[in-house]
Amino acid sequence: MSININDLSVFTVGEKKNTPFVLVHGFPFNHSMWDEQIKELSKQYYCVTYDIRGLGESSAGDGQFTMESFVDDLEIIVNELELKKSILCGLSMGGYISLRAVERMEVKFSTLILCDTKSDPDNSEGKLKRAAGIKMINEEGVEKFVRQFVPNCFSENFMATHKEEYKSVINKSQLNSSAGVKGCLLAMAGRTDTTPFLQKISIPTLVICGEKDKLTPPAVMKSMANNINNSEFIIVRGAGHMAPFESAKIVNQKIKEFLMR
Ligand code: MLT
């Protein structure tokens, strides 16, 4: 079912009586990156995805976003749908949102799943890369930015062997408005450091990393997982930054096993 909540496109699959499972996508993608997870997990869980403001079908408005406003959006969805003790799963930018959401309101969630993400904020080099991205969008358009950025999100092997799937991700990402994509870049550049909070996380946490992830590599994610008391860290062999998309079957299996414990 597709619904509009506070100008966000929200999608629910599964029976409302089941445990809620909220999935927050990465940048510059949309909710459809979770299609394979939803297909499997909706048999057992009430799955909720949405397009982050400015991406997919959620319009950009004035394009002035912060990580806090992204967390506000998530909170509104959780409240509006009356989701109690959701499992919260986020990839990369979705992970930044999820970590900050748990820092702000852990009581609303039962389990955290962090895919290919990190708790550190952007350093100076990272901020300059965001600025260069915004400049590229202003001068050459969002399509050029997407063509340059998205290849970093996949393993070489996936791009070579899954040409159609990869092309479809590029095509969808290029449909995003420049205001939305630039707004996300600024929100990520201005996000807080959630590292000091890691030790305070009390809900069970699964940390998933693609072996070939160039953006949030295994060493970075392992050290984040080491800081979370009740956590498990897994590496997905051969996958890049989009591990749940590239290796959906393995990731789904790992999530189900973790949730059964
Ligand atoms: C993402 O996949 O969401 C982005 O790579 C995150 C980022 O650029 O920091």
Side-chain angles (χ1 to χ4, degrees):
M1 192 162 79
S2 160
I3 36 179
N4 183 299
I5 298 178
N6 196 32
D7 277 340
L8 295 163
S9 288
V10 181
F11 308 87
T12 66
V13 187
E15 291 187 47
K16 177 98 205 215
K17 66 171 172 46
N18 289 338
T19 305
F21 195 131
V22 181
L23 299 108
V24 192
H25 66 81
F27 166 88
F29 311 112
N30 66 33
H31 74 281
S32 68
M33 66 149 281
W34 296 117
D35 280 355
E36 290 302 314
Q37 278 67 50
I38 305 285
K39 227 184 264 174
E40 185 58 30
L41 297 167
S42 62
K43 294 174 192 163
Q44 257 175 291
Y45 299 95
Y46 179 55
C47 292
V48 178
T49 53
Y50 65 101
D51 286 340
I52 292 169
R53 198 174 295 279
L55 299 176
E57 294 169 28
S58 294
S59 63
D62 65 4
Q64 307 290 299
F65 317 138
T66 62
M67 200 50 65
E68 293 311 289
S69 67
F70 284 156
V71 177
D72 293 342
D73 283 340
L74 172 61
E75 186 173 15
I76 288 167
I77 292 169
V78 166
N79 289 345
E80 190 73 22
L81 294 176
E82 297 179 353
L83 306 178
K84 302 267 181 294
K85 294 283 180 195
S86 304
I87 298 156
L88 179 62
C89 172
L91 179 130
S92 200
M93 182 172 79
Y96 308 155
I97 295 171
S98 302
L99 270 167
R100 180 66 186 136
V102 172
E103 185 174 22
R104 269 176 44 177
M105 44 183 173
E106 192 184 64
V107 67
K108 291 188 189 282
F109 305 104
S110 65
T111 308
L112 179 61
I113 302 174
L114 297 169
C115 307
D116 300 280
T117 191
K118 61 183 177 188
S119 55
D120 303 324
D122 283 3
N123 58 17
S124 295
E125 193 192 342
K127 287 189 208 302
L128 290 173
K129 277 194 191 153
R130 306 289 188 202
I134 291 172
K135 188 166 186 233
M136 179 183 284
I137 295 169
N138 285 337
E139 291 175 355
E140 300 175 79
V142 77
E143 295 84 358
K144 173 79 189 283
F145 171 78
V146 164
R147 283 198 302 277
Q148 185 249 356
F149 183 86
V150 172
N152 297 319
C153 300
F154 288 90
S155 65
E156 301 298 329
N157 182 54
F158 185 85
M159 289 186 285
T161 57
H162 293 75
K163 291 199 167 71
E164 281 312 305
E165 287 98 323
Y166 175 66
K167 214 168 100 194
S168 140
V169 171
I170 293 274
N171 290 344
K172 280 184 202 163
S173 303
Q174 286 182 328
L175 291 176
N176 290 317
S177 68
S178 56
V181 174
K182 288 190 290 183
C184 289
L185 286 167
L186 282 172
M188 288 191 285
R191 72 188 189 277
T192 58
D193 184 0
T194 48
T195 311
F197 166 68
L198 297 175
Q199 290 182 342
K200 297 189 190 137
I201 297 178
S202 67
I203 52 178
T205 302
L206 176 61
V207 179
I208 300 176
C209 184
E211 181 192 18
K212 308 280 184 197
D213 186 338
K214 291 175 233 161
L215 299 178
T216 47
V220 169
M221 291 204 73
K222 172 93 176 75
S223 114
M224 179 172 73
N226 285 346
N227 277 317
I228 305 174
N229 286 324
N230 192 1
S231 72
E232 184 178 319
F233 174 66
I234 60 157
I235 291 186
V236 183
R237 298 274 161 237
H241 187 61
M242 290 284 274
F245 187 87
E246 296 178 49
S247 301
K249 274 201 179 123
I250 293 170
V251 169
N252 291 349
Q253 190 55 33
K254 293 289 177 192
I255 290 176
K256 285 198 297 185
E257 284 169 14
F258 183 76
L259 294 173
M260 269 181 320
R261 263 175 241 145

